[in-house]
Amino acid sequence: MAASPLPSCDTIVVLAPHTRAGATILAKNSDRPPRECQPLFQSPRRVHPQGATVQSQYLEIPQVAETAAVIGSRPFWLWGFEHGLNEYGVAIGNEAVLTREILPSPGLLGMDLVRLGLERSKTAREATEIIGALIERYGQGGAAFYGVDFRYSGGFIIADHADAYVLESSGRQWIARRVADRACISNCLTIDTAGFGSPDVESYARARGWCHSESSFDFAAAYSNKDADDPLTARGRLARSRELVSRNGRCTVREMLAIIRDHGARGETPPAGDPAARDDSPTLCMHGAAAGTTASMVAELPAPGADTIPMLWASFAAPCTAIAFPLFVAGTLPPVLAAGGERASSDSPWWRFKKIQDLVAIAPERLAPIAWEHFRPLEAAMLERGAEVSRQARKLDSAAREKLLGSFMAQNIVRVLNAQSAAESELTRASH
């Protein structure tokens, strides 16, 4: 069995009153084993017969009467999502957190909970309560990394156009707080007290001697694993994301993309492939031997009465060397976005962008600008055109909307993959 990887991830939300477009923005970097392919998955709205069940990664649980249409970013071997968006404009990103709890082999993974929360909710509050109830009933557990029996509990940011919640958990216990204006989470517990959670979250900790204060209860202090090191400088990355998001007045999607591409003093330039040449200061775009950023999302969540519709900007592999492209739940995703497995393949967009990342790592200062020359103008054009198409789609009936959005996404992916091919050819020549 391989050595346990260290978990990481970063999730950020900025509520609508603090964004330029007046829409909530949620961003997530999914940090997992660097060569773990993470394609995209789409499921339509579905009605299920009474008594139906659903098989998550390790547990079979009762299905609900109807599940929402969703888009999710899914590691190739998992049922659940690292992050995603549903048809009602609910977006969720998750984090691994290490707590005092010893988790069982069977249980729900954090990725299961993201997908179940998206499929079963119409608002952020509803998704928060659904995830909490699932944690209480079924618990968390099971291997969360491919080929490695490494277990952890989940932390989440759950958002819609009007609200966002931070939910943190340990085994079958959970606690949540409503976000006031903006929030960031990483791989550590942050909530002291909150508005709601599992009914015995405090008594459970006191019974085990994890809470010594007779007058107050602090969830993070009680449930954090005191013996675990700070995984992948989670506290440093949390401080970094808070610093970056606080710099902006009214945040935009473009600014959020820059934040998730953060490499500290290096700007968006990734570290060199040689570990000895790396800057060890905490940054949000991860490049490491045990864990690295393998997929990213920025979700824009306008109000139902706005002139645009919810949109998800996705990128493959490390965001600093990739291109973000717009997706809509109301349209059909190009099937190629779902391609990819354990082995590298030129048929998989994920593996193609991993190739760009690996080429740039040979000499980032010299080679990263080549990738940017191919990707950034196209990304800027899609940012502009995506807003226009979103406004057009809002005015159409469902059939016409689906046709417009499906065509738009298909055209974009052709352009994205053509840009990738051109960038790979030039980087291959320049790297020799």
Side-chain angles (χ1 to χ4, degrees):
M1 187 72 73
S4 294
L6 292 173
S8 57
C9 280
D10 293 282
T11 307
I12 302 167
V13 68
V14 180
L15 291 180
H18 307 279
T19 69
R20 192 82 50 82
T24 294
I25 300 176
L26 184 145
K28 159 81 185 287
N29 273 354
S30 169
D31 303 337
R32 296 189 58 85
R35 295 184 63 80
E36 182 186 70
C37 177
Q38 192 170 150
L40 291 161
F41 174 85
Q42 182 177 35
S43 178
R45 185 189 304 181
R46 289 196 172 105
V47 175
H48 304 278
Q50 186 175 2
T53 60
V54 58
Q55 178 65 52
S56 64
Q57 192 67 26
Y58 301 117
L59 296 182
E60 185 177 17
I61 65 174
Q63 184 57 282
V64 293
E66 182 177 274
T67 50
V70 298
I71 295 173
S73 188
R74 183 173 76 170
F76 74 90
W77 63 283
L78 287 176
W79 179 83
F81 301 157
E82 279 282 301
H83 47 255
L85 172 70
N86 76 10
E87 63 178 296
Y88 301 107
V90 178
I92 306 177
N94 79 327
E95 308 282 325
V97 290
L98 303 178
T99 72
R100 296 177 186 262
E101 202 75 22
I102 298 175
L103 300 179
S105 177
L108 292 174
L109 296 178
M111 288 66 73
D112 294 331
L113 292 164
V114 171
R115 179 169 174 179
L116 290 166
L118 290 171
E119 289 186 338
R120 299 180 178 203
S121 68
K122 294 183 178 180
T123 68
R125 175 70 185 224
E126 187 177 19
T128 302
E129 293 174 345
I130 286 167
I131 290 174
L134 289 166
I135 287 172
E136 288 179 39
R137 182 171 181 182
Y138 300 106
Q140 300 174 84
F145 280 80
Y146 189 58
V148 179
D149 188 11
F150 184 69
R151 308 172 194 178
Y152 52 75
S153 295
F156 308 84
I157 292 184
I158 304 156
D160 62 23
H161 72 279
D163 279 319
Y165 297 87
V166 174
L167 185 155
E168 295 176 350
S169 67
S170 175
R172 292 176 183 263
Q173 306 299 325
W174 65 280
I175 197 164
R177 65 173 175 85
R178 188 170 183 263
V179 175
D181 49 20
R182 64 199 74 204
C184 307
I185 59 173
S186 190
N187 306 105
C188 54
L189 298 176
T190 62
I191 299 177
D192 46 12
T193 58
F196 58 106
S198 47
D200 57 342
V201 64
E202 180 176 346
S203 60
Y204 185 89
R206 289 191 181 280
R208 285 155 181 76
W210 299 344
C211 179
H212 302 292
S213 171
E214 295 182 3
S215 58
S216 63
F217 171 69
D218 183 322
F219 177 83
Y223 281 90
S224 292
N225 186 344
K226 306 302 182 184
D227 297 325
D229 293 332
D230 182 17
L232 285 181
T233 62
R235 286 186 285 274
R237 287 186 292 109
L238 179 61
R240 179 65 176 168
S241 62
R242 287 171 172 171
E243 173 197 355
L244 291 173
V245 80
S246 68
R247 288 181 183 177
N248 294 303
R250 294 191 177 275
C251 187
T252 66
V253 169
R254 190 188 302 269
E255 289 165 345
M256 196 68 88
L257 288 169
I259 288 174
I260 64 176
R261 289 168 170 153
D262 166 61
H263 281 296
R266 300 170 62 89
E268 295 180 14
T269 303
D274 178 7
R278 296 180 184 223
D279 178 1
D280 292 331
S281 61
T283 67
L284 301 191
C285 188
M286 294 290 296
H287 296 251
T293 303
T294 54
S296 304
M297 170 187 81
V298 175
E300 191 170 25
L301 313 173
D307 64 353
T308 58
I309 62 175
M311 188 185 322
L312 185 157
W313 292 84
S315 71
F316 292 127
C320 63
T321 58
I323 182 171
F325 49 90
L327 302 174
F328 297 89
V329 180
T332 300
L333 267 62
V336 69
L337 296 178
E342 181 176 11
R343 298 181 183 277
S345 168
S346 61
D347 296 331
S348 164
W350 189 92
W351 280 108
R352 289 175 63 172
F353 278 96
K354 178 66 171 123
K355 181 68 177 293
I356 298 292
Q357 179 184 339
D358 292 343
L359 285 168
V360 168
I362 296 170
E365 297 285 351
R366 180 169 59 87
L367 299 180
I370 295 176
W372 299 340
E373 287 174 7
H374 287 275
F375 297 158
R376 297 303 169 82
L378 176 56
E379 183 177 282
M382 288 189 293
L383 278 163
E384 184 175 344
R385 179 63 179 147
E388 295 174 2
V389 169
S390 182
R391 285 191 289 269
Q392 292 172 19
R394 170 64 75 189
K395 301 173 184 177
L396 301 175
D397 62 36
S398 59
R401 180 182 297 180
E402 181 177 359
K403 182 178 180 180
L404 171 66
L405 297 177
S407 175
F408 176 64
M409 291 188 290
Q411 291 168 7
N412 283 335
I413 295 308
V414 170
R415 296 187 183 102
V416 165
L417 294 180
N418 285 342
Q420 186 280 334
S421 294
E424 183 178 335
S425 296
E426 185 172 353
L427 285 166
T428 299
R429 293 192 300 270
S431 63
H432 293 308

